[in-house]
Amino acid sequence: MEETNIIKKYEKVLMACPLLAGIPTNQYEDALTFLQAKVVHLAKHEILQQLDAPFRYAGIVLSGSIEGSFINENDAKISINRFDAGKLYGEALGCVQPPHSPIQLEALQDSLVLLVNLSAMHQEKESLSGFQYHLAMNLIHGLAHQNIYQNYKVRILSQKKLRDRIGIFLHGQPRGKDGSILVKLTVTAMAEFLGANRSALSRELGLMQDEGLLRIEGRRFFLTQP
């Protein structure tokens, strides 16, 4: 069974997945069987979920990276989020399973994803216990965090000025001990996330540096003024 071998090979990655928090590793196989898990291999730029197609499965990224995006009214791609190894995506959509997906999922590199059927949890008739209880609680926490993240994204995109979008984005990122903000996104990916043109973003970041508002060292950003 491929899923059994996958669990052994990617045990540490699965341990980092929020959906499986609190579940002993020796129960992973039972938990993933309960969720009807199946492995999907994806090549770089392969589409995992088509926009407007039925959305059936959430997923745990085992290796590689998956990007969630949508197309705006100007036919421009807007990046919603990026999911690397150990991350769970599609919690809310996986529970509701809408017939028309509002997002597209694309592999940014060769990737391995474990698809899970979250609807299995609300189809369970008896009271939850053991790993089923942990799955349900972890899913609730995941949905809460997702709601907070979506509010953060809406706040960014509701700003008319690109500089305001940049400011909110940077202030929402975790800081290192030296006060630096590590932005893992490329300039292109960051522009897509902010709903901006790459050239416009580069120009605005340059102006903000010239005005002494921030300092950029590679992918580390230092805010020098509030």
Side-chain angles (χ1 to χ4, degrees):
M1 181 181 176
E2 184 179 13
E3 285 75 9
T4 300
N5 295 330
I6 287 293
I7 291 172
K8 293 178 180 178
K9 183 176 180 179
Y10 293 96
E11 184 176 283
K12 290 185 178 180
V13 176
L14 292 171
M15 288 172 66
C17 179
L19 183 63
L20 300 175
I23 299 176
T25 55
N26 61 7
Q27 292 185 16
Y28 280 1
E29 186 170 354
D30 289 337
L32 293 174
T33 297
F34 172 71
L35 294 174
Q36 303 165 24
K38 59 181 180 180
V39 179
V40 175
H41 301 259
L42 299 159
K44 184 178 180 179
H45 295 315
E46 185 174 350
I47 301 299
L48 173 60
Q49 172 67 52
Q50 292 280 358
L51 190 68
D52 214 32
F55 194 106
R56 293 291 176 262
Y57 301 97
I60 301 171
V61 181
L62 297 176
S63 66
S65 185
I66 303 296
E67 180 188 60
S69 64
F70 69 92
I71 306 299
N72 69 9
E73 62 277 6
N74 297 317
D75 290 328
K77 187 177 80 168
I78 303 297
S79 174
I80 302 172
N81 206 346
R82 175 175 173 168
F83 306 94
D84 298 317
K87 299 296 184 181
L88 173 71
Y89 69 79
E91 300 100 311
L93 293 173
C95 288
V96 178
Q97 296 186 339
H100 304 287
S101 175
I103 65 168
Q104 172 179 284
L105 295 168
E106 176 186 355
L108 297 180
Q109 54 189 277
D110 291 351
S111 303
L112 193 66
V113 175
L114 196 60
L115 300 181
V116 291
N117 181 11
L118 297 181
S119 70
M121 281 191 280
H122 57 70
Q123 291 170 1
E124 185 69 23
K125 302 301 182 183
E126 299 177 1
S127 59
L128 300 177
S129 61
F131 69 79
Q132 294 176 2
Y133 172 81
H134 283 293
L135 286 173
M137 292 299 100
N138 292 339
L139 181 58
I140 291 172
H141 285 296
L143 290 171
H145 283 293
Q146 188 180 80
N147 183 56
I148 293 171
Y149 175 82
Q150 292 301 332
N151 286 333
Y152 164 63
K153 187 68 183 285
V154 167
R155 185 182 172 210
I156 290 173
L157 295 180
S158 66
Q159 306 302 311
K160 293 182 178 180
K161 295 181 179 179
L162 178 55
R163 179 169 298 196
D164 292 336
R165 295 185 187 187
I166 295 170
I168 294 172
F169 170 76
L170 292 176
H171 279 289
Q173 303 300 308
R175 300 196 188 194
K177 293 181 179 179
D178 60 354
S180 66
I181 300 167
L182 178 61
V183 176
K184 297 181 180 180
L185 301 177
T186 63
V187 176
T188 300
M190 184 176 172
E192 290 179 354
F193 184 87
L194 296 175
N197 176 275
R198 186 187 188 282
S199 298
L201 175 61
S202 297
R203 183 168 56 252
E204 192 63 38
L205 290 173
L207 288 172
M208 292 174 75
Q209 287 191 92
D210 293 342
E211 295 173 21
L213 298 175
L214 58 81
R215 186 174 81 256
I216 303 175
E217 297 178 3
R219 292 195 176 182
R220 292 195 305 160
F221 288 64
F222 294 84
L223 298 175
T224 53
Q225 291 188 25

